Amino acid sequence: MSDLRNAAETAVRQCLDLSAEESCVIVTDDKRAPIGEALYDVASEIDDGAAILRYPPGDQHGEEPPAPAAAAMRDADVFLAPTTKSISHTRARGDACDAGARGATLPGITEDVFTAGLDADYESIDAECDRMLDLVDDADEIRVTTPLGTDITFGIGSREWLADTGMVHEPGQFSNLPAGEVFVSPITADGTFVVDGTMRPHGLLDEGQTLRFEVEDGFVTEISDDEIREQVETAAEDVGEDAYNLAELGIGTNLAVEELVGSVLLDEKAGGTVHIAIGDDAGIGGDTDAPLHLDGILREPTVEVDGEAIELPAVDR
């Protein structure tokens, strides 16, 4: 429980910067109650009116939370939402931020991921995100290679690089926790990427196991893995080729994540890794709506910005 307490202290005091003059609500579900209660314990020491609201886990990511939870988030100054299924892209979360609440969702969080991902100095993560943005922000073209065969080039165009720093101090701001990445939805991409870290539905890949993807003109054209290919094919029945959209290029900046653990939420933040996603990018600066967003994490990447290799956050793994 002390590990949960320490992580909750980081989330409430450093990441959300809760003050005694503000109202705070913790929205959680039955499967994530210990994390929700740890956050509530810390918040209630700062805010006498802090509240915790708990409901049965949702059935799928993106499902709206119950109306009382939505109202509580909207009416609070600060909210934290450790839930089994993500509410990051729900109307409830968006309406809360539009109303001026600031907050963080912790989708699919586990106790291990909570303690590992929040055992970090988020001011340092913020600074590392700024450093990476300075290196990539004006890039026309990004090339990523790895020893296992990744060689893919992204056209960035006018798309904006974004940062998930975990520092949520201003009204209306929002972040996932754990945090630590810079990312962009590229306009186009061509080449091959080979995932050797973590990817749903497999979780952490076994040593020597890889997932290979071919990309042409911004769309995935070949997928080596049957289970992932079936997921994308199922989504394509609803949205056509948009399911194959090359949605995201991200660079992890959280140096506290020293080992990949099989959680996409945490592993994509690992300092010095790259993640590439397929599917929906409407929420990160793109224009594709699709019913999936599949991130794959790549180890030992080299990233070239307009032909010059850049120094990535360094963790000895």
Side-chain angles (χ1 to χ4, degrees):
M1 293 302 293
S2 63
D3 288 343
L4 291 181
R5 167 76 189 200
N6 292 339
E9 290 269 3
T10 299
V12 173
R13 297 184 185 274
Q14 188 177 45
C15 294
L16 276 300
D17 193 29
L18 178 65
S19 70
E21 295 76 28
E22 295 179 307
S23 60
C24 179
V25 63
I26 310 301
V27 173
T28 190
D29 62 41
D30 296 338
K31 290 185 177 179
R32 300 297 182 258
I35 297 172
E37 290 166 3
L39 291 166
Y40 169 74
D41 287 345
V42 174
S44 63
E45 293 172 1
I46 301 168
D47 167 26
D48 290 340
I52 184 168
L53 191 153
R54 176 173 150 186
Y55 62 92
D59 293 325
Q60 60 187 358
H61 295 294
E63 181 179 338
E64 293 294 327
M73 292 165 63
R74 186 180 62 247
D75 293 341
D77 294 312
V78 174
F79 66 86
L80 285 142
T83 55
T84 305
K85 299 297 184 181
S86 175
I87 62 170
S88 300
H89 302 292
T90 60
R91 292 188 300 277
R93 198 282 303 166
D95 289 347
C97 291
D98 288 344
R102 69 181 188 276
T105 56
L106 298 84
I109 194 76
T110 65
E111 294 181 25
D112 286 344
V113 170
F114 184 57
T115 55
L118 274 298
D119 182 19
D121 179 354
Y122 274 83
E123 291 184 359
S124 295
I125 291 172
D126 191 17
E128 193 65 35
C129 286
D130 285 344
R131 185 182 75 83
M132 293 308 304
L133 287 176
D134 285 343
L135 293 173
V136 301
D137 204 25
D138 295 325
D140 293 319
E141 186 176 274
I142 303 284
R143 182 187 179 198
V144 178
T145 58
T146 68
L148 292 179
T150 294
D151 192 344
I152 184 168
T153 300
F154 302 87
I156 308 303
S158 60
R159 295 278 173 84
E160 181 182 3
W161 282 86
L162 303 173
D164 182 21
T165 69
M167 300 291 275
V168 190
H169 293 180
E170 300 298 328
Q173 284 188 334
F174 164 72
S175 178
N176 273 158
L177 289 177
E181 64 170 299
V182 298
F183 57 97
V184 68
S185 174
I187 288 179
T188 190
D190 291 277
T192 301
F193 69 96
V194 180
V195 175
D196 62 335
T198 299
M199 191 168 189
R200 294 192 197 96
H202 302 289
L204 184 63
L205 301 182
D206 295 331
E207 186 175 354
Q209 181 184 7
T210 59
L211 310 171
R212 188 179 187 89
F213 302 82
E214 301 294 337
V215 182
E216 185 175 344
D217 294 332
F219 292 92
V220 175
T221 57
E222 294 182 29
I223 301 173
S224 69
D225 182 77
D226 292 340
E227 292 184 71
I228 295 173
R229 185 169 57 251
E230 288 173 8
Q231 286 188 74
V232 179
E233 288 173 348
T234 298
E237 293 175 4
D238 293 330
V239 298
E241 71 172 3
D242 284 351
Y244 295 88
N245 177 53
L246 198 293
E248 178 187 3
L249 166 64
I251 301 171
T253 61
N254 189 329
L255 296 177
V257 184
E258 297 180 351
E259 298 290 341
L260 303 189
V261 300
S263 163
V264 170
L265 173 66
L266 182 64
D267 291 354
E268 69 176 3
K269 312 303 193 315
T273 64
V274 158
H275 56 277
I276 298 172
I278 304 167
D280 185 90
D281 62 14
I284 59 171
D287 53 16
T288 298
D289 286 299
L292 80 169
H293 182 91
L294 297 175
D295 290 282
I297 289 90
L298 286 61
R299 304 174 189 259
E300 299 183 41
T302 296
V303 177
E304 297 177 13
V305 176
D306 293 332
E308 293 189 15
I310 62 171
E311 181 182 352
L312 297 179
V315 176
D316 184 15
R317 291 188 178 87

